[in-house]
Amino acid sequence: MKIIFTGDKATLDKYLLMGFSIGITGWNCDEKRSKELREAVRLIPLDRILVETDAPYLTPKNVSGLGRINVPGNIVYVVRELAKHMKVEEDVLMENARKNIERIFCIGENDGL
């Protein structure tokens, strides 16, 4: 199971104990609203992380010139900010998120095609 998460460390710990994978959106790109989230993401194991844009909503606030409508391509900004707060390299974060998506949604090499 997965959950889109915007909360604090205590809440995140409960979700992880319940076995959830954790989806982080562009909420983490909003300095005014994401202080607790940015501290909490350090607890997320790489084998449980998912990254989402929440398009067409929640355009990353820390990047100027993106316009009002969020698009899937803005995932790079979500990853950049999330990797910084998780203290991992962006490519490591993306690779783990990809593997998690493939596992959760049963896609990839063994998808029966």
Side-chain angles (χ1 to χ4, degrees):
M1 294 198 286
K2 76 172 190 80
I3 186 165
I4 297 173
F5 185 75
T6 60
D8 60 20
K9 286 182 180 180
T11 306
L12 177 61
D13 192 48
K14 290 176 186 175
Y15 287 137
L16 290 171
L17 287 172
M18 288 190 286
F20 283 97
S21 290
I22 308 297
I24 303 296
T25 68
W27 187 274
N28 100 99
C29 297
D30 186 339
E31 195 171 311
K32 292 180 183 176
R33 296 188 291 182
S34 66
K35 183 180 185 312
E36 290 182 348
L37 174 63
R38 288 174 171 192
E39 293 172 3
V41 297
R42 294 180 189 126
L43 301 176
I44 304 172
L46 287 172
D47 67 346
R48 305 275 284 287
I49 190 71
L50 301 167
V51 184
E52 308 180 34
T53 61
D54 201 23
Y57 311 105
L58 209 56
T59 302
K61 300 270 189 233
N62 62 343
V63 180
S64 62
L66 292 181
R68 294 177 51 115
I69 298 175
N70 198 5
V71 296
N74 288 341
I75 194 83
V76 296
Y77 306 116
V78 177
V79 168
R80 183 176 299 146
E81 194 68 20
L82 181 57
K84 180 170 65 175
H85 296 288
M86 289 183 73
K87 300 189 183 307
V88 298
E89 296 294 324
E90 290 177 35
D91 60 336
V92 171
L93 175 58
M94 282 303 298
E95 177 66 14
N96 280 275
R98 182 191 58 77
K99 288 178 183 177
N100 297 336
I101 289 167
E102 290 175 352
R103 183 185 73 251
I104 291 167
F105 294 105
C106 301
I107 56 177
E109 291 181 33
N110 298 317
D111 62 6
L113 296 178

